[in-house]
Amino acid sequence: MSKKRRRDTSAVDTQLVEIYEDLANIEEEIRLKAAQSLLLKITPEAGRTSEQLHEILRRLIRGLCSGRKAARLGFSIALTEFLIQLLSPNTSYPSSPFTTPEVVEVLKKETQIGGSVSGQEERDHHFGRLFGAETVIKSAILFHDSDGFQSWSQVLDLILGLAKKKLWLREECGWILYCAIQKLGKGGHDSKYVQQMIAKLQENDLTKTPEGIAIWIVTSLEFPLVKLPQGIWLDQNPMHRKEKAKLATILKESSFASLHRDEGDSNDLQNGIWTSKLHFAWDVVLGRVLGMQSLESSKDLDLFSFWDECVDRNLFSDSSSNERKYWGFLVFQHALRDAPAPSFYIIFSNRLMRCLVNQLALPERYLHRLAEKSVKSILLRAKGDASVTLPALECLLTPPKGQINFDQATKTKTVDKLLGLVKDSSLMDLVAVFRKLILRPGTQDQKAAASSRQVLADQLVNLVRTRLSADEITSTSSDASKGFQDVLTLFASLGYFTRTQDNDNAERLEDPPISSSSKDMFKSRIFSCLTLLVSKSFSPAFFAHHVVCKIHSWESSGEPYRSSTDVYDAAGEHLRKAWKVLKRIHLKEQSTELQRRPVLLAFKLLFSLAILRVYNFDADAVGILEELRACYGTFVKHKTMRAQGGSDVLVEIILSFVAKPSLLFRRLAQQVFSAFVTDINEAGLQSMIKVLMAKETMSGQEEMFDRADDADRDDEMSDVEEIDGTDATAINTSAKEDDYADEASAEGSDDEGTSSSDIQDDELEPDVELAAFDAKLAQALGTRSSADDRAADGDDEFTDEDMNDEQMEALDEQLEKVFRERKKVISKKSEKKDAKEIMVNFKCRVLELLEIFIKHRHTSLLALDLLVPILSTIQSTTSTLVSTKACGLIRTYTKVCKGKSLSDVKATDPIFILLEKVHNQATKDGSNAYTSSCSQTSLLLVRILVAQGRENLRRVLLIYSKTQERALLDPQCRVKISFFSDWLNWCSSFLKTTR
């Protein structure tokens, strides 16, 4: 038995072995260091012989055939640098150890498949040959002498032979040749190399392939003088208009055999396995089409024709497979990356958009994730290039390509995010797009049109909210301010007017006509926007004044809008007077000194919103206008609101606004009250105290409001409730954070959460009505009630008797009477619940106004008059919300009254009387929070008295002792121990500071 020959280890260069090992390492840094080490080994100074260099060449090429780790990457880099160092014109070797043809021969020999090999080994050798050919081309050793040109032809044969033999390698082969032409063009080499490549392509019948098209295009760009073969493309131009069908078929990767059935070699030219990677030819063709957009040529294929034929009809047709649509989305993403903004109207094509919406709608759809990537590509391009944001929005929303409810249909926030990316300078153009969509929503169905219009209106409101959440408006001439004015103008024109006939531009007319419900919706959206703008604008009255001025202008001229209301028939004279006053206020505001300007702005805001309420047919709007005129007359005459009861009327007006369940009116009242807080007198405060003292029942509601107008009030304010409630779901049903329906709850989420618990007392009461209803129902049916039935013996039998028609009619009448009475009971219970909610809301708004008063005028004696009513409110209210707000108001008062901020009183007797009243309030039964508020109030008064003189403590001690005596001896006294412990703590603190 023969023994194996042992390797002569003495002849092995261990350093080269380590280098070869590192060239296959997965880490790129290690591979690069290994390649650098190899180059140091082959320098002339290293003294390598020709045989050793030949061996290194052979070993590097063999390494390209290895599938181990990252061998092909590492060995290809090393081989490229090896050839450059040895065969380039600038080589440091005095004589080259081998020639370019010898390198090509070694490549052919070492990558040749010999004998019977496995499929994996065959693939490794094919890849090795392909990588070797690419390395030789990259090294540029083929382009320096005549021997190189001959070898160039051999390398082309190697690459094209692989392309024909292995379809799955064809794209890589084409990519190598495509890059070679680019390299030749940049290097300024002779065009004969490209001419040879084109000839070889034609010989191998590969010109009408995706690779052939890409090579043809790059050749015409880099080497326009190269003679392209005749008879393949019309005018030697694959981008010719008349070649679009053939171009589409080739790019779609249809079988090559279908184009060459007469050649008999269809079996060898079948398409390869489908791949998720988009063919590089798409990028080449797409780039060429986009590049030709600026060139006016009747022969070249334009973007619309290319996209319609090659993408929309080929890849997104109804019969296209999911694999074709997959490629279509990839093409779409590539187009989004490079297409100019005007081209968006083309690439967002009908079939593509339909497929995009369908795939986004359900997560289980086959192409759902790819569709999501397409949407992300849109947003990514919009973030980097603001010019495409508006075209993208228009394409997504405009029927028939897009859908107005795109976000709802796709369960995404694409439109909302794009709206956030619109620049302030483009807001006016955006509003113009929305105007067009609202006027013509793409459907003739009234219900569907109304729904689409509401979605669009809600998106505009959401746009205003998003902009204001990021920054406040600091100038009326800013781009953002102009955009918001356009939004309000649009809503006003749609809500209050109908456009007159425009024969020159029919697109400006409504189709279908806007329904009355949609007009009411647009009116409500005006108040939504104003709610946001009043609190975020440096001039709260500006936008409201802008709206009413637009309405007045259109009402006066009648062009281009015709009023859709008859408000002037009902309140024309009042409106005309109000317009005159508003105009005078606006003129005075421009020229008045800063001291009086806030008051004028407050009047301007009041008049503007009061006029809007008249246009909305609010029942009390006309009366408020007249009261405002009287108030303003008093202000003009006496330069203050304190004279002749002007502030009293103003407080009543403000209360009429806060009584409305509207966040806008709530903010309006706070703005105006802040402007006039220095003019509020005792009578005005009494009007507010009266609200706090009212019962939280139906009788309290009747006392505060005119019950005859309650039904009208509900109807008139239903639009405001819709803004703060149900209609907001149209913006984005899946986006809770964007739902502006709960703007009021955003201002005070505790309001809603607590008020619902306040009503539990009614719900927990024994349901006597239900028991009475059960008894009446049993009596009408002639049976036992449910309670009697349960108490009866289970063995008793009950036999039904047949009833005649007369008996049935009589029974029907009795049942109808019973249920009618039951309905009245339920309705009355609901009215009680609603009345309590209204009163609780009203009291909370009044407490907010009183907080403003206390913060501004806590040193005034009038503020002290509020203490006992506030404590009484805490003790008597059934709402924890009202109690919490009132306790917070007491805490605010005590915090702001420190040091020199204490009330400056001239006589102490009224303060002692007030202290006794507070102690009397403390003896009443109440919660711990109530006792704490009483204690805080009492100590506040003590501090005021001590500030007037330390001797006042004697009388204070007597008052506390009397209260303590009542606590010990009077069983009706409910004062808590904490009331006295707070007093003792204050005394201890006082002694420490005075000694």
Side-chain angles (χ1 to χ4, degrees):
M1 185 174 180
S2 63
K3 296 182 179 180
K4 291 185 177 179
R5 183 173 62 87
R6 299 181 64 182
R7 178 181 297 179
D8 185 7
T9 56
S10 61
V12 176
D13 189 336
T14 57
Q15 292 183 349
L16 281 177
V17 172
E18 292 178 358
I19 290 174
Y20 295 148
E21 182 67 26
D22 289 343
L23 285 175
N25 198 286
I26 297 178
E27 297 293 332
E28 182 181 9
E29 185 177 355
I30 296 177
R31 294 198 304 269
L32 293 176
K33 287 183 179 180
Q36 186 178 10
S37 299
L38 178 64
L39 296 178
L40 294 175
K41 290 287 185 181
I42 63 172
T43 58
E45 292 78 11
R48 294 284 177 178
T49 64
S50 177
E51 289 77 11
Q52 289 176 328
L53 293 175
H54 271 84
E55 178 60 24
I56 293 175
L57 173 64
R58 189 192 68 81
R59 184 65 184 84
L60 290 175
I61 293 176
R62 290 293 296 172
L64 296 176
C65 299
S66 172
R68 183 170 58 93
K69 298 181 181 178
R72 292 192 183 96
L73 296 177
F75 278 88
S76 63
I77 293 173
L79 180 57
T80 302
E81 296 300 325
F82 177 82
L83 294 176
I84 292 174
Q85 187 160 326
L86 292 179
L87 297 178
S88 68
N90 300 324
T91 180
S92 57
Y93 273 86
S95 61
S96 178
F98 40 72
T99 63
T100 300
E102 289 177 343
V103 173
V104 176
E105 285 299 324
V106 174
L107 174 63
K108 291 170 64 177
K109 179 181 178 182
E110 296 298 329
T111 58
Q112 182 69 37
I113 301 174
S116 177
V117 296
S118 65
Q120 182 60 48
E121 288 179 316
E122 182 182 1
R123 284 191 292 272
D124 287 340
H125 278 76
H126 288 325
F127 276 120
R129 175 166 289 190
L130 186 62
F131 272 77
E134 183 181 18
T135 300
V136 172
I137 293 175
K138 284 184 177 180
S139 66
I141 63 175
L142 300 172
F143 311 131
H144 299 303
D145 51 38
S146 58
D147 291 340
F149 181 73
Q150 182 181 357
S151 299
W152 167 250
S153 180
Q154 295 178 4
V155 171
L156 289 177
D157 289 337
L158 290 177
I159 296 174
L160 295 176
L162 285 175
K164 287 195 65 176
K165 186 176 183 180
K166 297 298 179 181
L167 268 280
W168 46 274
L169 281 176
R170 178 180 294 178
E171 182 180 350
E172 295 301 325
C173 294
W175 173 251
I176 292 173
L177 297 179
Y178 176 84
C179 293
I181 296 176
Q182 288 184 321
K183 185 177 180 65
L184 289 168
K186 292 178 181 178
H189 295 288
D190 198 322
S191 62
K192 63 181 180 180
Y193 295 95
V194 180
Q195 190 73 62
Q196 181 75 355
M197 184 191 296
I198 298 298
K200 291 288 185 180
L201 277 175
Q202 190 176 15
E203 288 177 11
N204 289 275
D205 207 9
L206 293 175
T207 51
K208 288 188 176 181
T209 61
E211 299 78 19
I213 292 174
I215 292 172
W216 194 294
I217 291 175
V218 72
T219 298
S220 62
L221 293 176
E222 297 288 346
F223 295 92
L225 299 180
V226 168
K227 294 182 179 179
L228 297 170
Q230 300 286 334
I232 296 179
W233 300 103
L234 188 61
D235 293 340
Q236 290 78 49
N237 183 12
M239 306 301 295
H240 198 283
R241 283 179 176 271
K242 295 183 179 180
E243 295 284 10
K244 64 179 181 180
K246 189 185 297 183
L247 178 67
T249 303
I250 295 174
L251 289 177
K252 195 176 68 171
E253 292 281 354
S254 59
S255 67
F256 192 83
S258 63
L259 298 177
H260 302 274
R261 290 179 180 175
D262 297 335
E263 298 180 10
D265 56 353
S266 60
N267 292 331
D268 295 332
L269 297 173
Q270 292 294 325
N271 274 339
I273 300 173
W274 180 84
T275 174
S276 60
K277 179 184 176 183
L278 187 66
H279 199 289
F280 78 92
W282 277 102
D283 275 338
V284 177
V285 174
L286 186 60
R288 180 59 176 162
V289 172
L290 293 175
M292 293 189 301
Q293 289 297 100
S294 58
L295 304 176
E296 296 183 2
S297 175
S298 59
K299 295 182 179 180
D300 289 331
L301 187 65
D302 60 5
L303 179 61
F304 175 80
S305 300
F306 164 76
W307 195 267
D308 181 66
E309 184 70 28
C310 299
V311 181
D312 206 42
R313 295 180 183 273
N314 257 357
L315 301 182
F316 288 106
S317 66
D318 295 336
S319 59
S320 294
S321 63
N322 286 326
E323 289 75 15
R324 300 295 182 196
K325 292 176 181 177
Y326 189 100
W327 280 342
F329 280 127
L330 292 181
V331 175
F332 178 58
Q333 293 171 21
H334 286 222
L336 287 172
R337 183 184 59 202
D338 302 320
S343 300
F344 273 47
Y345 297 101
I346 298 175
I347 65 176
F348 283 81
S349 50
N350 289 341
R351 294 178 180 85
L352 184 151
M353 287 297 300
R354 183 170 64 247
C355 183
L356 180 65
V357 172
N358 290 338
Q359 296 298 328
L360 287 172
L362 296 174
E364 58 269 19
R365 296 277 168 83
Y366 184 74
L367 301 176
H368 177 76
R369 294 182 64 183
L370 191 61
E372 285 183 328
K373 289 183 180 179
S374 298
V375 168
K376 291 179 181 178
S377 297
I378 297 173
L379 296 173
L380 184 63
R381 175 68 190 280
K383 288 179 181 178
D385 184 2
S387 65
V388 305
T389 307
L390 198 57
L393 273 170
E394 191 170 359
C395 292
L396 292 176
L397 295 175
T398 305
K401 290 183 180 181
Q403 295 187 21
I404 289 177
N405 62 336
F406 182 86
D407 279 0
Q408 289 81 0
T410 59
K411 299 180 179 63
T412 65
K413 295 182 181 179
T414 309
V415 173
D416 281 346
K417 291 178 180 178
L418 285 174
L419 287 173
L421 295 175
V422 176
K423 297 294 184 181
D424 290 346
S425 56
S426 301
L427 285 179
M428 298 176 72
D429 295 330
L430 177 66
V431 175
V433 171
F434 271 71
R435 178 190 297 275
K436 182 173 65 175
L437 292 173
I438 290 173
L439 292 178
R440 294 176 173 268
T443 177
Q444 292 299 316
D445 181 71
Q446 278 287 356
K447 187 175 182 180
S451 176
S452 297
R453 285 163 173 160
Q454 181 174 335
V455 169
L456 292 167
D458 291 341
Q459 286 172 341
L460 285 176
V461 176
N462 195 37
L463 171 68
V464 175
R465 179 187 301 102
T466 304
R467 294 306 168 98
L468 291 177
S469 63
D471 195 9
E472 294 187 359
I473 302 175
T474 57
S475 172
T476 57
S477 60
S478 65
D479 291 331
S481 177
K482 292 177 181 178
F484 297 154
Q485 292 176 54
D486 275 11
V487 172
L488 292 170
T489 301
L490 174 61
F491 287 158
S493 65
L494 297 171
Y496 296 102
F497 296 90
T498 300
R499 193 172 186 94
T500 56
Q501 291 294 327
D502 190 346
N503 297 325
D504 297 333
N505 195 346
E507 292 184 357
R508 296 181 180 178
L509 300 179
E510 308 158 2
D511 185 25
I514 299 178
S515 62
S516 58
S517 60
S518 292
K519 288 186 175 295
D520 291 339
M521 181 270 298
F522 287 123
K523 294 175 186 177
S524 70
R525 296 308 180 261
I526 294 176
F527 284 90
S528 288
C529 292
L530 291 178
T531 300
L532 300 166
L533 293 166
V534 162
S535 61
K536 287 286 188 176
S537 173
F538 78 103
S539 177
F542 174 77
F543 291 99
H545 181 257
H546 169 78
V547 173
V548 296
C549 285
K550 280 292 183 183
I551 293 175
H552 181 58
S553 173
W554 293 329
E555 193 90 54
S556 302
S557 64
E559 292 291 341
Y561 300 103
R562 182 182 68 256
S563 176
S564 57
T565 65
D566 53 354
V567 64
Y568 267 88
D569 295 341
E573 186 62 28
H574 299 286
L575 279 176
R576 279 186 282 270
K577 292 179 180 179
W579 284 120
K580 292 180 180 178
V581 175
L582 184 58
K583 186 176 181 180
R584 288 198 296 268
I585 293 174
H586 181 65
L587 293 175
K588 284 188 176 183
E589 175 215 338
Q590 307 298 324
S591 57
T592 303
E593 65 276 7
L594 292 176
Q595 185 177 359
R596 296 181 63 198
R597 185 170 297 170
V599 178
L600 289 173
L601 287 174
F603 271 118
K604 186 177 179 180
L605 180 59
L606 279 171
F607 269 99
S608 299
L609 290 178
I611 290 173
L612 275 180
R613 290 182 64 181
V614 172
Y615 275 94
N616 286 348
F617 291 96
D618 282 10
D620 55 349
V622 174
I624 289 176
L625 268 183
E626 292 303 307
E627 292 174 355
L628 273 176
R629 287 181 56 242
C631 271
Y632 181 71
T634 302
F635 173 76
V636 171
K637 185 175 181 180
H638 299 279
K639 308 300 181 185
T640 178
M641 292 301 300
R642 294 175 182 162
Q644 296 187 359
S647 64
D648 308 346
V649 179
L650 184 64
V651 169
E652 293 293 340
I653 294 173
I654 293 174
L655 291 178
S656 70
F657 276 100
V658 297
K660 303 289 184 180
S662 166
L663 182 58
L664 170 61
F665 290 156
R666 174 184 176 184
R667 290 177 176 173
L668 159 72
Q670 293 174 359
Q671 292 275 354
V672 175
F673 193 81
S674 298
F676 290 101
V677 68
T678 57
D679 295 322
I680 302 300
N681 58 17
E682 183 177 1
L685 287 182
Q686 288 301 320
S687 298
M688 303 173 76
I689 292 173
K690 183 180 178 181
V691 176
L692 297 180
M693 296 296 102
K695 296 180 180 180
E696 295 162 6
T697 59
M698 291 183 65
S699 60
Q701 184 185 19
E702 291 172 357
E703 181 183 353
M704 290 291 102
F705 304 104
D706 184 4
R707 293 292 294 162
D709 296 334
D710 278 353
D712 294 338
R713 181 184 294 108
D714 293 340
D715 292 339
E716 291 154 9
M717 295 308 298
S718 63
D719 56 330
V720 180
E721 289 293 340
E722 288 176 359
I723 300 171
D724 299 337
T726 56
D727 286 350
T729 55
I731 293 180
N732 192 340
T733 56
S734 65
K736 293 182 180 179
E737 67 275 11
D738 291 337
D739 185 3
Y740 73 90
D742 292 329
E743 286 178 304
S745 66
E747 291 289 325
S749 57
D750 295 338
D751 297 16
E752 296 179 0
T754 316
S755 61
S756 61
S757 64
D758 299 336
I759 307 167
Q760 291 179 355
D761 296 339
D762 295 335
E763 297 175 351
L764 294 176
E765 293 177 358
D767 203 344
V768 181
E769 295 89 349
L770 183 59
F773 170 71
D774 189 20
K776 291 180 180 179
L777 185 62
Q779 182 180 4
L781 295 173
T783 63
R784 291 190 295 265
S785 66
S786 59
D788 295 339
D789 193 40
R790 288 191 297 270
D793 186 4
D795 296 333
D796 291 348
E797 296 182 359
F798 179 78
T799 58
D800 295 333
E801 297 182 358
D802 295 336
M803 302 178 66
N804 56 33
D805 293 343
E806 294 180 356
Q807 291 173 325
M808 289 292 291
E809 290 179 1
L811 179 61
D812 287 343
E813 293 178 359
Q814 293 177 0
L815 289 175
E816 183 179 354
K817 181 179 179 181
V818 171
F819 281 102
R820 187 163 52 247
E821 292 177 354
R822 174 61 178 168
K823 185 176 181 181
K824 291 180 180 179
V825 172
I826 295 175
S827 177
K828 188 174 182 181
K829 189 174 182 180
S830 177
E831 288 181 0
K832 290 180 180 179
K833 181 180 178 181
D834 293 341
K836 180 174 181 178
E837 290 181 350
I838 291 173
M839 290 304 300
V840 167
N841 178 73
F842 196 11
K843 286 186 177 183
C844 289
R845 303 293 84 83
V846 170
L847 288 170
E848 290 171 357
L849 296 178
L850 290 177
E851 183 177 4
I852 296 173
F853 180 85
I854 287 175
K855 287 180 178 179
H856 286 82
R857 299 183 60 185
H858 53 274
T859 59
S860 171
L861 292 178
L862 286 177
L864 293 175
D865 293 338
L866 295 172
L867 292 173
V868 174
I870 294 174
L871 293 176
S872 179
T873 301
I874 299 173
Q875 194 270 334
S876 62
T877 183
T878 59
S879 168
T880 55
L881 174 60
V882 174
S883 176
T884 302
K885 280 189 173 291
C887 290
L889 187 56
I890 294 293
R891 286 194 298 271
T892 300
Y893 199 168
T894 57
K895 286 181 181 179
V896 297
C897 290
K898 291 182 179 180
K900 296 182 180 180
S901 298
L902 289 171
S903 299
D904 186 15
V905 295
K906 296 180 179 180
T908 58
D909 287 342
I911 307 300
F912 280 114
I913 295 173
L914 185 59
L915 180 61
E916 291 175 350
K917 291 181 180 180
V918 170
H919 278 243
N920 186 54
Q921 282 290 139
T923 60
K924 297 180 180 179
D925 191 18
S927 64
N928 292 333
Y930 170 67
T931 301
S932 177
S933 296
C934 290
S935 178
Q936 292 176 33
T937 305
S938 176
L939 294 176
L940 171 63
L941 295 174
V942 170
R943 283 192 282 128
I944 294 174
L945 290 169
V946 171
Q948 300 301 314
R950 190 170 180 178
E951 64 278 2
N952 290 326
L953 275 175
R954 298 181 184 278
R955 191 170 174 182
V956 170
L957 287 169
L958 290 175
I959 295 175
Y960 265 97
S961 63
K962 288 182 180 179
T963 305
Q964 189 172 10
E965 181 182 350
R966 289 185 61 187
L968 294 173
L969 301 177
D970 187 358
Q972 302 297 324
C973 180
R974 301 295 183 182
V975 65
K976 291 182 172 57
I977 301 300
S978 60
F979 184 81
F980 302 106
S981 61
D982 290 343
W983 160 247
L984 293 176
N985 290 333
W986 182 88
C987 290
S988 176
S989 177
F990 177 76
L991 289 174
K992 290 180 181 179
T993 56
T994 55
R995 287 181 180 178

